[in-house]
Amino acid sequence: MESLLLSIRLAVCVSAILLVIGLPLAYWLAYSPWRGKFLVEAVVALPLVLPPTVLGFYVLVAMGARGPLGKLWQAAFGHGLAFTFTGLVIASVLYSLPFTVQPLVASFASVDRKLLDASAILGSGALRTFRRVILPLSVPGVITALVLSFAHTLGEFGVVLMVGGNLAGVTRTVSIDIYDHVQSLNYAAANHLALILLAFSFVVLVIVYGVNRRIGRRVWSSWSAR
């Protein structure tokens, strides 16, 4: 269970960080009038098309002893960043970024502009409008973003292997553990872990999407009644 608990811990950390980063970034992408924002959208979506080993390689280079991020980390904390849990978190944040930002952008952009105009007419600023209008109406999108980032991080393999290696209790996630068992021809152990991960992921998705649907209905019904 050590590798599974490590994977869950990694997924929780990454999902929380991505929510903090993703909310303002998604808001800017949804409402910014800047014509060149498609360049930012392309950068955000890049992990969707890049092979995990390519992204993992460049992140590993950046975190290495001669890399810019590795040098800064070494100077600040006195130890390297590659092949550590913190390095895994940073790499996973980059790899799972589009799975958080894109659902948020779609949810924010779907909010009726008339509600935003009404909020502005009533004297609400951008922050107050976001907190009182956009965010409540986007709760289903926020939950979807959290679920996708959590599930995607939970099953990561390529980036985790490149950046974290295979250190028991530190960077050996459940996907790496399954790979190790397959490499050693221990299919029974691999199947056991795979079934646990499959069942856990399925239960999480069922619960969250069920709650998501109920919350979405309540939010829209409450706004329709106003």
Side-chain angles (χ1 to χ4, degrees):
M1 296 296 294
E2 184 180 53
S3 61
L4 181 59
L5 292 176
L6 180 66
S7 296
I8 295 173
R9 178 187 168 201
L10 176 65
V12 170
C13 292
V14 170
S15 300
I17 294 172
L18 281 175
L19 185 62
V20 174
I21 297 174
L23 285 173
L25 179 57
Y27 175 84
W28 181 80
L29 288 174
Y31 297 110
S32 174
W34 183 47
R35 293 184 178 180
K37 69 179 181 180
F38 68 91
L39 297 173
V40 179
E41 292 174 331
V43 172
V44 170
L46 198 57
L48 293 174
V49 296
L50 269 182
T53 49
V54 174
L55 179 62
F57 170 73
Y58 284 114
V59 173
L60 180 60
V61 170
M63 291 181 180
R66 298 182 179 179
L69 187 57
K71 289 180 180 179
L72 288 174
W73 195 268
Q74 181 71 36
F77 300 100
H79 61 84
L81 185 57
F83 307 110
T84 64
F85 181 78
T86 304
L88 276 189
V89 171
I90 295 174
S92 298
V93 165
L94 295 175
Y95 188 45
S96 297
L97 183 62
F99 293 88
T100 299
V101 173
Q102 291 188 349
L104 290 176
V105 171
S107 185
F108 292 167
S110 66
V111 176
D112 192 344
R113 293 279 179 160
K114 294 179 181 179
L115 297 176
L116 305 184
D117 294 338
S119 179
I121 291 173
L122 292 174
S124 297
L127 182 60
R128 183 178 176 84
T129 300
F130 175 77
R131 183 167 52 88
R132 299 293 298 273
V133 179
I134 298 174
L135 196 57
L137 292 176
S138 303
V139 169
V142 173
I143 296 177
T144 300
L146 281 172
V147 172
L148 288 178
S149 60
F150 181 89
H152 186 253
T153 304
L154 193 65
E156 282 183 21
F157 177 74
V159 171
V160 169
L161 185 62
M162 291 289 290
V163 175
N166 189 1
L167 303 177
V170 180
T171 61
R172 183 186 295 169
T173 61
V174 66
S175 57
I176 302 297
D177 210 4
I178 293 172
Y179 176 76
D180 285 344
H181 287 309
V182 172
Q183 287 292 96
S184 61
L185 302 181
N186 189 356
Y187 294 132
N191 181 58
H192 179 69
L193 281 174
L195 286 176
I196 291 176
L197 184 59
L198 175 63
F200 180 83
S201 301
F202 180 74
V203 170
V204 168
L205 289 174
V206 168
I207 293 175
V208 174
Y209 279 118
V211 173
N212 189 6
R213 178 172 296 183
R214 290 187 179 183
I215 291 177
R217 288 176 179 175
R218 290 178 182 177
V219 169
W220 282 107
S221 61
S222 65
W223 272 91
S224 299
R226 292 183 179 181

